[in-house]
Amino acid sequence: MRLAGAILAALLLTACQQAPVSRPPTAVSAAGLALAEGDQLMAKGDHAGAIEKYRQAVDLEPDAVRPHFALGTAYSFLERRPAAIAQFTWVLSHADSGANEYQEAYRWLARVGALPAAATAEATQAVAPASSDPATLGRIVGRTEWPGVTPQKRLITGHLTLMGDEPTTRDINRTRPFRLGDVYEFQDVPAGRYRVLAVIDETTVWEEKVTVEANKDTSLVLQQSGSSVAVERFASLATGSTDDHGHETRPE
C-alpha cells in the first residue's frame, strides 16, 4: 500500500509540473483577416494589392463601414477618383455622422467637389466647415526613427493617431498606418493644437503634442530618445536580413 501511494504521489507531482495546455487563439473573421492584410499592404505602399484585399472584405461583410472606407482610401491613393467617390458616398449614407470614417469621407468628397446632395445641413455642421477650406489647412510631415530599424531590414508597422487637443480641433481624430523607420504625413489638417500617438502591437511608443499652422508644413520627427519604450523593444526585431530571393534570414 505504501508503494502504491508513493507511485500515485509521483504521478500527481509529474502532472503538476507539466506545462498547462495552451488555448487556441481567438478566431478572426475572414473579413477581419482580409482587412488586416490590406492594411499591411497599404503600409508597404502596395495600394493595388490592398484594393484586392479590401474588396474581399467588402464582399464578406457588405454592410460594414470599415471595409468600404478602407477601399475608398486605397482608391484615392491611386487617383481612381470615381471608384473612391462611390465608396466614400456609401460611407456617408451608412455611417454615423460622428464616426471617424464619416468625417474623413466627408472631407475628401468636399475637397474634390463630389459631396452628394444627400449630405444634409446637419451633417455639414457635424464636420467642421473650416476643415474643407484650403486657407485653413496645414500638413504634418515627419518620420519615425529607431536605432537599427528600417523597413528594408525588417518591416515593423503600427498606427499613428492624430487627435485634436483644443476646443476648435476636438472633433478631429484620424488614424493611419506607418512603418517604423520611415516617413509619414497627415494632409489637410485644420490649423490648431493636436496630440500624435504612435502605437505598435498595442504599445504606445510615442505621444507628442504639435501645433499646425494654416498653409504650412509642420515637421514632427519621432525618435527613440523621445520614447518611453526601451531601444531593445524593436531593435531586437530588426536583426534579420533578406537573401537574394527576398526571404528573411536570421543569425544562428
Side-chain angles (χ1 to χ4, degrees), residues 23-33:
R23 297 181 179 179
T26 303
V28 178
S29 70
L33 181 59

Side-chain angles (χ1 to χ4, degrees), residues 139-145 160-162 182-186 194-198 206-212 217-223:
R139 187 172 67 138
I140 299 176
V141 294
R143 64 179 299 111
T144 59
E145 297 179 353
L160 284 168
T161 299
L162 179 70
D182 204 356
V183 298
Y184 71 89
E185 70 174 340
F186 285 100
Y194 296 88
R195 286 189 299 138
V196 174
L197 273 72
W206 288 286
E207 182 173 354
E208 301 286 345
K209 292 188 176 183
V210 63
T211 299
V212 176
D217 286 351
T218 300
S219 177
L220 180 61
V221 179
L222 301 173
Q223 300 176 310

